[in-house]
Amino acid sequence: MASTKEGYQEEFKSFTLALALAIVLPSSSLDAFSGLLSILGDSSLGFLACYATFIALAYSIGITIDCLIPYQLKDWLIYPRIGRFGASRPGSTIFSDLRSRRVNDYRFSASDALKAYSPIIDKLATMDDRNAALRFQNAQWYRLYRKNAQLESVQSANRAFLYGRDLCALSAVLSLLMATTNCLTLFTGGYVLFAWGSVAFCAVLALIGFISARLKGRRLVTSVIACDISETISKEHL
C-alpha cells in the first residue's frame, strides 16, 4: 500500500488544524501566556493573538509529528502484531478467505474468484506454515495491487485507507504525548498543561481512525480483486 498523501493532503491539513483547535482552546493553563502579548495595547487583542500563535504552533507540531511517525508504526497501530499473535492484514488472508467463501462482495462472484486464482489457492492448500502462507498471500495480492494501482476505484480505496490510518496514528500519538506531559506537570508542578477533555477527544479520534482504516483496508483489498477479476473476464470474452 502506498504511503503518499496525494489526494487527501488538504483534508489531512484540515483535520490537523481541527486537532490544534481542540488542544489549544480548552487549555486554561495557556491563558497565562496571553499576558505576554497584552503589550499590544488591547488585552482582548493580546488574548486572540496568543491563541492564534499557539494554534499555529500546535498545527505545525502536529504536521511535524505526522512526518516523524514511520509508516511501519502507522501500519502496526491498525494491524498490531507481537510475535505470532495479532491482527493479520486483509491482503494476507484474502485468498484463504476466498477459498472459504468468507468474502461477500457484490462486485464479483465466489465462483469467478476461485476460477481466477485457482493456482494460488491450490498452492496455498499445500502450505503448512501459517506465517509463510500469510506472506505468500500478501505477496500475491500486492502483485495484483501494482497491476491495478492506476484504476480510480483502487486509488480511491487506497486514499480512504491511508487517511484513516494517518488520522489514527496522529491522534493516538498526540493523546499519548499530552497524557504523558500532563502526568509530568502534575507530578512536578501540581497542574496540567492540556485539558483532559482534549486528551480524551484525541483518543476518540484515534479509535474512529482505527475503525475507519480497518474497514477501508478491507475495501481496498477486495477492490483490487474485483478489478482484476473484471479484467480477466473481459479478456476471456474477447
Side-chain angles (χ1 to χ4, degrees), residues 200-234:
F201 180 71
C202 287
V204 170
L205 286 180
L207 178 60
I208 293 174
F210 172 81
I211 296 173
S212 174
R214 291 293 292 260
L215 294 175
K216 298 304 181 180
R218 188 69 179 178
R219 179 70 174 181
L220 171 60
V221 170
T222 55
S223 292
V224 170
I225 297 297
C227 291
D228 189 66
I229 291 177
S230 178
E231 181 183 3
T232 301
I233 294 176
S234 297

Side-chain angles (χ1 to χ4, degrees), residues 31-52:
D31 290 345
F33 291 100
S34 61
L36 298 176
L37 299 178
S38 61
I39 57 175
L40 295 176
D42 186 352
S43 59
S44 61
L45 180 61
F47 177 84
L48 292 176
C50 175
Y51 269 97

